[in-house]
């Protein structure tokens, strides 16, 4: 039985930081002695945590350099890029990957772990084609401290609230989805609601990695094209949310989510969380989505082709990491899904709410620990 280990992981407001925090919480509940080695500067300002856990985490971090040794098992939560180094000789990697192929560098890094767990079954299948046997997959879980039902409503005028979330990227089809939505539902000042249906799009796509003038200018140009150079009174944009509770308030307004049309995901926490709250997500039936999205809990869209996964920002051709293709869809299939989604408005997604019980971080942690113990 594992009673102590090293955890090397980030803690921040991004999805990877949220996953790491929940895994640490689960390890804490199981009484496992943790030596915490942070990746980057820990930042817990977005999260709701108890003082008792905060003290435990601080102790785990302070004890790392005094207590770790090379014989301990390291539980690393990080991208493949940067996972060639571990603080101990027993190496377990929990990682994330979106493309449909692997590079020689990625394959070699995986070979040099004792076990690599991919988020979502899709990436396990991708790397299984390279003959790797030391791989498995893990699901993400419902975070009840960050995502939960609230009674507050932003408005009471009967509008249909749509969501486009996640960090703005080509991979996530962000600009394209925004453009498709405003072409069908966008209203310029003075235009009446369509057929008395008050369609309203909430856009929460801030990307903290667009942090230099060149990327910011490129983003502004792409946004202008997506919006056809116009302003729409039924589209609202949000800055980066400072806390999970603020983001949760937005999730609770949503009837239909289109974030699930991302072309490549390990899991897609936005669409998963919205579904857990009983709303409906339009989801591309590909990549990591297939690990949780079904015809019963989502409005599925079949992919029709692949597109080269190159944006020259996060994904580059002939690079050492994250090289391959994304899955694509047609405009017609997306619009068909929006029509199907409209018919679901007012109906609680009961199967989506069941995801809260099916996928938990405690279950995921127990499963991984069980598999590690058998190595």
């Amino acid at each position: 039985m594992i009673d102590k280990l090293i955890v090397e992981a980030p803690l921040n407001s991004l999805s990877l930081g949220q996953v790491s925090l929940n895994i640490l919480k689960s390890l804490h509940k199981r009484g496992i002695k943790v030596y915490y080695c942070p990746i980057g500067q820990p930042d817990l300002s977005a999260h709701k945590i108890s003082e008792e856990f905060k003290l435990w985490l601080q102790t785990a971090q302070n004890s790392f350099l005094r207590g770790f040794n090379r014989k301990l098992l390291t539980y690393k939560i990080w991208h493949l890029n940067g996972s060639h180094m571990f603080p101990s000789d027993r190496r377990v990697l929990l990682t994330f990957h979106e493309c449909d192929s692997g590079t020689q560098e990625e394959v070699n890094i995986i070979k040099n772990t004792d076990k690599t767990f991919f988020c979502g079954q899709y990436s396990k299948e991708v790397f299984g084609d390279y003959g790797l046997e030391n791989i498995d997959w893990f699901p993400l879980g419902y975070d009840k401290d960050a995502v939960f039902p609230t009674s507050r409503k932003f408005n009471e005028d009967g509008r249909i609230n749509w969501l486009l979330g996640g960090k703005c990227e080509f991979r996530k089809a962000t600009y394209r989805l925004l453009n498709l939505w405003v072409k069908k539902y966008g209203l310029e000042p003075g235009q009446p609601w369509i057929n008395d249906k008050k369609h309203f799009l909430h856009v929460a796509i801030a990307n903290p990695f667009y942090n230099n003038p060149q990327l910011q200018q490129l983003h502004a140009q792409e946004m202008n094209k997506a919006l056809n150079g116009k302003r729409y009174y039924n589209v609202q944009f949000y800055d980066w949310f400072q806390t999970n509770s603020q983001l949760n308030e937005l999730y609770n307004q949503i009837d239909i989510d289109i974030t699930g049309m991302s072309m490549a995901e390990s899991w897609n926490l936005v669409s998963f969380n919205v579904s857990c709250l009983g709303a409906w997500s339009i989801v591309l039936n590909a990549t990591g989505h297939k690990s949780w999205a079904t015809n019963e809990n989502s409005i599925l869209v079949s992919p029709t082709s692949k597109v080269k996964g190159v944006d020259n920002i996060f994904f580059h051709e002939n690079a050492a990491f994250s090289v391959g293709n994304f899955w694509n869809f047609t405009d017609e299939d997306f619009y068909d899904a929006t029509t199907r989604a409209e018919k679901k408005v007012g109906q609680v997604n009961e199967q989506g709410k069941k995801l809260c019980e099916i996928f938990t971080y405690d279950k995921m942690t127990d499963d991984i620990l069980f598999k590690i113990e058998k190595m």
Side-chain angles (χ1 to χ4, degrees):
M1 179 177 178
I2 296 173
D3 57 359
K4 57 183 176 180
L5 50 74
I6 299 167
V7 174
E8 185 180 14
L11 286 174
N12 51 46
S13 61
L14 301 174
S15 56
L16 197 55
Q18 184 175 334
V19 171
S20 300
L21 177 64
N22 278 284
I23 291 173
L24 283 163
K25 284 181 178 179
S26 290
L27 293 172
H28 170 50
K29 283 191 284 187
R30 278 144 188 75
I32 295 174
K33 171 68 175 176
V34 169
Y35 300 97
Y36 173 54
C37 177
I39 298 176
Q41 181 63 36
D43 177 11
L44 296 171
S45 59
H47 304 284
K48 180 182 177 182
I49 58 173
S50 68
E51 288 300 318
E52 188 271 337
F53 176 77
K54 188 183 295 184
L55 178 61
W56 176 86
L57 184 62
Q58 189 62 58
T59 301
Q61 183 176 345
N62 291 342
S63 64
F64 169 66
L65 289 177
R66 296 194 298 264
F68 90 99
N69 66 72
R70 302 297 298 183
K71 294 181 181 180
L72 283 174
L73 184 144
T74 293
Y75 200 89
K76 184 165 186 167
I77 308 165
W78 195 237
H79 311 285
L80 284 170
N81 188 0
S83 290
H84 57 291
M85 295 186 295
F86 280 70
S88 71
D89 295 331
R90 299 177 63 199
R91 305 177 173 193
V92 172
L93 176 64
L94 276 66
T95 194
F96 306 79
H97 193 269
E98 294 92 13
C99 296
D100 67 345
S101 62
T103 66
Q104 290 183 331
E105 290 84 354
E106 290 170 336
V107 170
N108 192 47
I109 285 172
I110 295 166
K111 284 180 178 178
N112 282 281
T113 66
D114 293 287
K115 194 82 170 181
T116 292
F117 292 87
F118 286 99
C119 178
Q121 192 167 2
Y122 175 71
S123 295
K124 179 195 173 185
E125 294 170 355
V126 167
F127 282 93
D129 289 342
Y130 293 86
L132 296 168
E133 297 181 354
N134 62 330
I135 57 175
D136 209 323
W137 75 279
F138 68 96
L140 295 189
Y142 173 67
D143 182 356
K144 66 181 185 299
D145 294 327
V147 182
F148 50 87
T150 65
S151 58
R152 182 191 171 203
K153 291 297 179 184
F154 290 178
N155 53 76
E156 299 285 354
D157 61 359
R159 67 183 62 182
I160 299 172
N161 290 289
W162 299 68
L163 174 66
L164 176 59
K167 297 188 298 295
C168 185
E169 287 186 43
F170 167 71
R171 168 176 67 89
K172 294 177 177 287
T174 310
Y175 302 117
R176 181 183 173 196
L177 289 169
L178 178 58
N179 179 255
L180 289 172
W181 194 92
V182 297
K183 281 182 177 178
K184 183 173 182 178
Y185 299 109
L187 297 173
E188 297 177 62
Q191 289 184 303
W193 295 106
I194 302 170
N195 297 325
D196 293 328
K197 290 185 177 180
K198 300 178 179 180
H199 296 280
F200 196 94
L201 179 64
H202 301 267
V203 184
I205 58 172
N207 191 332
F209 297 107
Y210 289 172
N211 54 7
N212 65 61
Q214 183 179 1
L215 286 177
Q216 290 167 358
Q217 181 181 10
L218 177 63
H219 172 63
Q221 291 171 348
E222 292 297 323
M223 287 296 290
N224 187 60
K225 286 194 293 184
L227 295 169
N228 306 305
K230 300 176 182 178
R231 290 184 178 274
Y232 303 89
Y233 71 80
N234 61 338
V235 178
Q236 181 172 346
F237 293 90
Y238 296 84
D239 293 328
W240 183 259
F241 288 94
Q242 298 301 312
T243 65
N244 285 332
S245 61
Q246 293 172 328
L247 185 57
N248 183 57
E249 289 288 355
L250 176 59
Y251 286 164
N252 274 271
Q253 312 308 312
I254 302 306
D255 299 297
I256 305 170
D257 164 64
I258 61 174
T259 314
M261 288 302 293
S262 172
M263 299 186 292
E265 291 286 343
S266 293
W267 190 259
N268 198 329
L269 273 175
V270 173
S271 299
F272 174 77
N273 286 334
V274 168
S275 301
C276 286
L277 290 172
W280 295 94
S281 187
I282 300 174
V283 179
L284 188 65
N285 193 24
T287 65
H289 293 146
K290 299 184 75 170
S291 295
W292 64 267
T294 66
N295 275 315
E296 290 71 36
N297 63 34
S298 304
I299 298 162
L300 295 183
V301 176
S302 297
T304 55
S305 61
K306 289 187 179 183
V307 59
K308 185 176 291 187
V310 175
D311 61 8
N312 292 317
I313 301 173
F314 307 107
F315 296 85
H316 303 267
E317 200 163 12
N318 301 319
F321 297 91
S322 300
V323 176
N325 301 303
F326 305 147
W327 289 96
N328 205 357
F329 57 92
T330 67
D331 295 356
E332 293 76 17
D333 285 344
F334 172 72
Y335 283 135
D336 173 72
T338 61
T339 300
R340 287 187 280 140
E342 285 188 54
K343 296 176 182 178
K344 296 283 190 179
V345 173
Q347 302 176 35
V348 176
N349 184 357
E350 297 293 352
Q351 294 301 313
K353 292 175 71 173
K354 290 180 180 179
L355 293 171
C356 304
E357 302 169 3
I358 297 171
F359 298 105
T360 72
Y361 283 101
D362 287 344
K363 287 181 181 179
M364 180 263 277
T365 299
D366 286 342
D367 183 58
I368 290 178
L369 288 174
F370 175 76
K371 291 174 178 177
I372 291 173
E373 288 169 353
K374 292 178 64 177
M375 288 191 323

